[in-house]
Amino acid sequence: GAAERAGLDLAGLDAEAAAEAAALDAEIAANQAALEAGGHWGVPTLVFDGEPFFGEDRIDTLRWRLGKKGLQR
């Protein structure tokens, strides 16, 4: 139900995951390595300009920092 509410085709997602399993596993491993290399763990962890923003409650702070750098939505 969640996939449908998000406008996604669950069968299509399952088929893509099966067809691209090795590439997806490699991408997940690379993301984990990058997270650990940055000295972070867990999600959501976002890093901008070398500053970590960990946890859902820090997303607004990250958005503020992005705005201070002139980035817009």
Side-chain angles (χ1 to χ4, degrees), residues 5-32:
R5 287 189 304 276
L8 302 171
D9 172 27
L10 184 57
L13 292 171
D14 287 342
E16 182 179 352
E20 303 292 328
L24 293 170
D25 286 345
E27 185 173 351
I28 291 168
N31 287 339
Q32 182 64 38

Side-chain angles (χ1 to χ4, degrees), residues 40-46 52-58:
H40 306 290
W41 62 94
V43 293
T45 298
L46 306 144
F53 299 87
F54 177 78
E56 189 175 320
D57 59 327
R58 295 288 314 272

